[in-house]
Amino acid sequence: MGDWFYNEDFKFQYLQEVQPRNIHVKTTVDVLFRRIKPIEYKLGKDLYDFTTKEIIEFYKWLSTPSLESLMVMNNQFKLYTVYALNKKMVKDNQNHYAEIDNSTLAKCVNYGLVQNRIITRKELIDILESEAIENVSDKVIALALFEGIAGKELVELNHMEPEDINEKTQMIKLYGGRELKISEKLMNWCFESANEYNFYNSLTKKPNKYYLSTDTRVIKRLSNSTVDTDHQRHKTINRRLDAMIDKTNCFAFTVGSLKESGRLEMIKELRESGMDLHTALTNKEMIYRYGRIPSLRRYCIKYGLD
């Protein structure tokens, strides 16, 4: 098997000629080429010579929960095959990636994994109130994400302070100016976390007790931290979520999955109130809390909404 790609001279030529300036796209294509390499060797041919059946079997073999990732992959392979066609490399002179539409890709998604990453509010609260989650700040992180508090690099979450919460209305003013109503459970945990000065680190095999800083934020940093930036706090929260996955064996503990779980619960509640699906998906309050859904059709396919 080659060191980098199957038929790597031709693929390097493609990367140099077609994607010489766009580093992001070039990196993506590089990863995709390496992902399909074992199947190319197994079939004994470059991906541009795959039949439609072979392409679909490969996509199913990936067992991905993401329709979006399959769409990106198929589009990049389609562009690569266009290049190969222009170079007279494709044996049957056909671009079979162009024959595959989103509905076909949707059938290749592993929806079991999709559902495994979605959690209801009740399921989430049950886990957060269990012995598995020791730190109140960890409870805040998970429930706040579920309720739509995040921001770029999680600045809304990391900059929360108790004084920004109106206890009577349960409204919180977030970093950047948004104001959201939060659940009583989250509000109480925020107040409790702001007065939490011990942290039990689950990232090590033997949990260690650390002291937290004396700042006024709800999510505090360790007292011995030498770096305190939004980027560093963002990375720390992701590591803490990873630890929660390890402790609970629940794969919903990621930033994206918790936010989508909260959005789906809100959509369900809106529909139960009498809204039709399209109105619920485009509801202004839902968009304000969780953001706009880029493609309603793909979203419905991914989460089985009808």
Side-chain angles (χ1 to χ4, degrees):
M1 194 176 288
D3 291 335
W4 208 252
F5 307 133
Y6 181 93
N7 193 13
E8 63 182 23
D9 288 344
F10 186 75
K11 285 186 172 70
F12 277 128
Q13 179 183 316
Y14 170 72
L15 291 173
Q16 292 167 1
E17 289 186 14
V18 181
Q19 309 287 0
R21 297 177 183 175
N22 193 325
I23 299 299
H24 176 72
V25 174
K26 193 172 183 178
T27 302
T28 298
V29 176
D30 181 290
V31 171
L32 295 178
F33 281 165
R34 282 184 281 135
R35 191 81 184 274
I36 201 170
K37 182 177 77 168
I39 308 303
E40 290 178 300
Y41 273 99
K42 181 180 178 180
L43 297 177
K45 56 185 174 182
D46 196 290
L47 69 92
Y48 55 61
D49 275 329
F50 281 19
T51 65
T52 303
K53 181 181 178 182
E54 289 166 343
I55 296 167
I56 292 173
E57 286 178 349
F58 168 64
Y59 290 159
K60 288 181 177 178
W61 174 80
L62 290 172
S63 192
T64 176
S66 172
L67 174 60
E68 290 78 10
S69 66
L70 289 181
M71 291 169 59
V72 170
M73 181 178 288
N74 194 71
N75 185 59
Q76 291 301 331
F77 289 166
K78 180 171 64 176
L79 293 174
Y80 171 67
T81 304
V82 168
Y83 176 81
L85 282 166
N86 290 335
K87 297 292 184 179
K88 311 296 183 185
M89 297 291 290
V90 184
K91 291 179 180 178
D92 67 359
N93 205 36
Q94 299 293 317
N95 189 339
H96 295 293
Y97 297 93
E99 300 169 10
I100 299 174
D101 57 19
N102 290 345
S103 62
T104 302
L105 292 175
K107 295 174 183 176
C108 301
V109 173
N110 187 331
Y111 288 102
L113 290 180
V114 173
Q115 294 306 316
N116 201 29
R117 296 182 182 185
I118 298 300
I119 192 169
T120 66
R121 179 182 290 274
K122 183 182 183 307
E123 291 168 340
L124 178 60
I125 297 297
D126 284 347
I127 292 174
L128 297 179
E129 290 184 333
S130 72
E131 294 181 356
I133 309 299
E134 298 175 270
N135 303 299
V136 180
S137 53
D138 286 339
K139 303 176 195 285
V140 170
I141 289 169
L143 189 54
L145 288 167
F146 187 91
E147 296 191 11
I149 296 173
K152 184 178 180 180
E153 287 200 315
L154 304 182
V155 291
E156 290 181 337
L157 184 58
N158 276 315
H159 283 266
M160 289 193 302
E161 298 199 14
E163 66 179 21
D164 295 328
I165 302 173
N166 185 316
E167 198 167 354
K168 290 183 179 179
T169 62
Q170 294 175 214
M171 295 292 292
I172 183 170
K173 186 171 183 179
L174 299 167
Y175 184 85
R178 277 205 312 162
E179 293 188 39
L180 290 178
K181 185 170 183 176
I182 59 177
S183 65
E184 184 177 2
K185 179 77 69 179
L186 177 56
M187 180 179 71
N188 291 336
W189 278 343
C190 283
F191 289 139
E192 191 177 344
S193 179
N195 291 301
E196 181 181 58
Y197 295 100
N198 295 323
F199 175 75
Y200 295 90
N201 185 6
S202 300
L203 301 176
T204 57
K205 290 183 179 180
K206 293 182 178 180
N208 294 307
K209 179 179 176 180
Y210 292 88
Y211 293 106
L212 295 171
S213 65
T214 56
D215 63 45
T216 57
R217 295 187 188 184
V218 172
I219 310 295
K220 301 181 186 300
R221 60 185 176 85
L222 296 180
S223 60
N224 61 355
S225 293
T226 56
V227 179
D228 184 24
T229 63
D230 289 334
H231 180 67
Q232 185 60 42
R233 284 179 178 252
H234 180 199
K235 288 170 62 177
T236 299
I237 283 183
N238 280 326
R239 288 199 297 270
R240 289 172 70 170
L241 288 168
D242 287 342
M244 284 187 256
I245 291 175
D246 290 339
K247 294 198 73 174
T248 65
N249 199 32
C250 175
F251 295 97
F253 282 95
T254 68
V255 172
S257 292
L258 287 167
K259 285 179 63 181
E260 285 312 319
S261 294
R263 187 204 298 270
L264 286 166
E265 183 129 331
M266 185 173 184
I267 290 170
K268 180 183 177 183
E269 291 170 355
L270 290 172
R271 295 188 72 186
E272 288 175 348
S273 72
M275 281 189 192
D276 61 70
L277 178 57
H278 183 270
T279 304
L281 293 172
T282 55
N283 176 266
K284 289 183 179 179
E285 184 181 345
M286 188 274 291
I287 292 173
Y288 182 72
R289 185 175 289 273
Y290 295 104
R292 190 177 301 277
I293 299 170
S295 170
L296 299 185
R297 183 172 176 274
R298 291 204 301 268
Y299 192 84
C300 290
I301 292 172
K302 181 174 182 177
Y303 294 110
L305 301 177
D306 51 34

